[in-house]
Amino acid sequence: MRMVDLIEKKRDGQALSQDEITWMVDQYSKDQIKDYQMSAMLMAIYFQGMSHEEAGYLTMSMVESGDQIDLSQIDGIKVDKHSTGGVGDTTTLILAPLVASLGVPVAKMSGRGLGHTGGTIDKLESIPGFHIELTSEEFVNQVNQHKIALVGQSGNLTPADKKLYALRDVTATVNAIPLIASSIMSKKIAAGNDAIVLDVKVGSGAFMKDDQAGEDLARTMVKIGRSVGRQTMALVSDMSQPLGRAIGNALEVKEAIDVLKGKGPEDLRELVLALGSQMLVLAKQAKDLNQGKQKLLQAIQSGQALAKFKELLEIQGGNSQVVEDSDLLPQAKYQIDLPALESGYISSMVADKIGQASMVLGAGRKKLDDQINPAVGLILHKKIGDPVEKGEPLLTIHSDQVRVEEVKALLYDSIRISSQAQKPQLIHQIIGS
Ligand code: URA
Ligand code: CA
């Protein structure tokens, strides 16, 4: 096979075969195909697209380029949940113990990653004592015994995706739906779960800026998952503003505990119930989404979900007293209110700018070796559609520095107040039920 022929084929809008895609990814991984040819291929894919079959082959070639986690020793249907990334997304922290309390095995492996706050693992590490280092054997045993374990990423998963993603980044080819879909799905499949629930975010804080692109991405990923034998469902959900009220590591742990207690912000609860019911259906613990939702509500009301969260903390060394006393979580030195400069209704809260503000405070990482400050972040008192009086606090900044001028400027820049505004709809689409 010659790469130039494959480039020509894709350039002219033809589909590549499974053999061709497998060969290409394998050769590229071994540096037998150079970046200049792969760049041309990526650009051809960007313009010509890929069929779902092709995207499935690409996904599996990337999965096969590295280690695959073997969860076969864990009983039951293992369901993973993935979000395409938003601001203040606290859902995994809540969903993991919630569905585990209903018998769904949660064998969650997360990377640290870059972003506005840390990932789920970093958030949990803000709980004094909590550790994420388990051997594979401990990991498997813990899930079999307690239905839940959350650990850091180990192994060399999908190296071909890493290499291709880096090339896409410098060739203006990141934003192609089949490439994004295969990139995400390859990592999920290599992580070894039987079924996958995807939360595709759309809006200012998200990778996908509009509904149509979000829906396309979600449908493509569902098709890829199913074509390679992993049951997959998806939601398209709003990320025009941050989710919930807390943005920050320890602050989001407290928010997660609130939701597990049956309290917490309405939007976060709604999203948790929607994703959780899909997880229960895929794990065959509910016959449909509605029954799933009833079970989730019951698990929250009865306290069994909160008890599972405490159990997780206890088995992974965390201080479970934080559940009753959130003052045991790291606290920032200063709490600084941001007053509204006029009266009216909140008409926008640009999620990615608010995310940047939390990053400047130290809640997230710019580079992989940056340290996260678990205590800092933001608590929103207002969300889009809420009325506000001049001088009323829009939000509270939790900071270890008393001077937060840059953060305030970012925040004022992200929040608009108008004479009228409507609450955005949270869940735009439910796909694959
Ligand atoms: N996230 C990924 O993991 N891959 C992409 O290609 C885009 C976003
Ligand atoms: Ca939140």
Side-chain angles (χ1 to χ4, degrees), residues 336-342 346 348-350 353-354 357 378 388-395 397 404-417:
I336 304 156
D337 285 342
L338 188 80
L341 301 177
E342 57 192 314
I346 309 290
S348 85
M349 292 198 112
V350 182
K353 284 193 194 161
I354 296 181
L378 304 166
V388 58
E389 296 289 328
K390 183 175 175 179
E392 222 187 330
L394 294 165
L395 53 86
I397 302 166
V404 286
E405 302 320 308
E406 184 189 352
V407 172
K408 283 185 172 176
L410 273 167
L411 291 167
Y412 274 128
D413 197 33
S414 71
I415 300 171
R416 291 277 167 279
I417 297 173

Side-chain angles (χ1 to χ4, degrees), residues 64-81:
E64 281 150 17
S65 72
D67 298 338
Q68 297 179 51
I69 308 290
D70 179 7
L71 300 179
S72 61
Q73 297 307 306
I74 297 174
D75 312 324
I77 302 173
K78 281 78 69 183
V79 186
D80 201 0
K81 173 252 162 191

Side-chain angles (χ1 to χ4, degrees), residues 366-411:
K366 270 203 201 75
K367 303 187 302 315
L368 267 179
D369 54 358
D370 286 348
Q371 282 285 326
I372 277 180
N373 182 339
V376 300
L378 304 166
I379 297 287
L380 309 179
H381 304 305
K382 302 286 176 186
K383 305 257 316 220
I384 296 177
D386 287 343
V388 58
E389 296 289 328
K390 183 175 175 179
E392 222 187 330
L394 294 165
L395 53 86
T396 302
I397 302 166
H398 291 239
S399 171
D400 276 348
Q401 249 113 43
V402 70
R403 279 187 56 81
V404 286
E405 302 320 308
E406 184 189 352
V407 172
K408 283 185 172 176
L410 273 167
L411 291 167

Side-chain angles (χ1 to χ4, degrees), residues 87-90 243-247 252 255 268:
V87 180
D89 188 350
T90 318
L243 187 66
R245 295 188 179 275
I247 303 149
E252 287 186 45
E255 181 169 67
L268 182 56

Side-chain angles (χ1 to χ4, degrees), residues 50-61 182 224 227-228:
M50 277 184 141
S51 68
H52 294 125
E53 287 75 29
E54 289 177 281
Y57 304 144
L58 176 59
T59 303
M60 289 316 287
S61 330
S182 357
I224 292 175
S227 76
V228 302

Side-chain angles (χ1 to χ4, degrees), residues 10 35 93 155 162 189 196 210 257 272 280 292 296 311 328 334 349 387 409 414 416:
K10 182 47 72 184
D35 282 349
L93 272 180
K162 286 197 187 78
I189 290 163
I196 302 156
D210 68 79
I257 293 169
V272 160
L280 291 185
L296 297 168
E311 187 181 333
L328 296 170
Y334 305 101
M349 292 198 112
S414 71
R416 291 277 167 279

